[in-house]
Amino acid sequence: MINAIIFDFGDVFINLDKNATLEGLKKIGISEWNEDLNKLNILFEKGEISREDFLLGIQKYAPKATTDEILEAWSAILLDFPLYRLEFLQMLSQKYRLFLLSNTDSIHIDTFEQKNGVSFYSDFYQCFEKVYFSFEMGMRKPDTEIFNHVLNKHDLQAKRTLFVDDKKENTDTALSLGINVWNLQVGQEDVVDLFEKNII
């Protein structure tokens, strides 16, 4: 019997357009996403570098771009957060222990909060017993330590916990730890279909 659910954020609750950021970066002179930029992103998602260092790191590849242009391109990934998903989550929070576990950075969270407003994001965060962002934790999915941290911190039993994420490498790690998983297929499934999956 599931009594706790750990949710991812991007493409589970908030819709994402990863191509929008790639297109935005192209406009400021970065033609392709390379390994150095990927490492920079991971460091930023783990909170190991500051917002300023991240922006300077991007600027190395787009020397003519302003900070505002970089921020606009970087945040273009964030689309809408449908109200029906929040309402579903509020209903779930009456029956289950809920947690948010997201690989994200301070720029994306600031942008989400500014776009949606205090009332909306407060209602969202209040659905969870604890909200975990990778940049505040110093660790990120799919590393096992981040899952163990959440399980241990809240005395959760893996076999009674469900993890919902759109990335297979993340659900694979959770599964290896004995956690029940739903690898949500973006565009084909919606988080509100949870009960139709017969996993809780």
Side-chain angles (χ1 to χ4, degrees), residues 94-134:
Q94 306 300 313
K95 304 175 183 177
Y96 299 91
R97 298 178 67 189
L98 304 183
F99 302 87
L100 191 70
L101 183 62
S102 174
N103 283 354
T104 191
D105 60 62
S106 57
I107 292 173
H108 283 159
I109 293 306
D110 286 349
T111 303
F112 158 67
E113 292 180 356
Q114 285 163 14
K115 275 176 70 174
N116 290 277
V118 176
S119 176
F120 187 91
Y121 77 71
S122 296
D123 285 350
F124 174 55
Y125 294 156
Q126 281 169 12
C127 292
F128 302 100
E129 198 169 309
K130 178 74 176 171
V131 170
Y132 285 108
F133 295 136
S134 59

Side-chain angles (χ1 to χ4, degrees), residues 20-22 24-25 28 68-77:
T21 282
L22 294 175
L25 292 173
I28 62 172
D68 283 346
E69 286 171 334
I70 294 169
L71 284 169
E72 185 180 347
W74 191 244
S75 297
I77 188 172

Side-chain angles (χ1 to χ4, degrees), residues 134-191:
S134 59
F135 75 94
E136 295 175 333
M137 299 176 75
M139 44 185 136
R140 70 193 288 278
K141 301 173 291 188
D143 298 341
T144 55
E145 63 174 350
I146 199 167
F147 294 101
N148 284 326
H149 177 85
V150 177
L151 291 176
N152 295 335
K153 183 87 175 168
H154 301 281
D155 201 22
L156 303 179
Q157 287 181 278
K159 66 183 179 184
R160 299 192 68 190
T161 302
L162 173 67
F163 173 59
V164 181
D165 197 294
D166 64 302
K167 290 193 172 64
K168 190 171 184 300
E169 64 264 32
N170 296 340
T171 53
D172 282 352
T173 297
L175 193 60
S176 74
L177 296 171
I179 300 169
N180 300 276
V181 301
W182 175 18
N183 177 212
L184 187 148
Q185 304 301 301
V186 180
Q188 300 169 40
E189 300 175 314
D190 195 298
V191 70

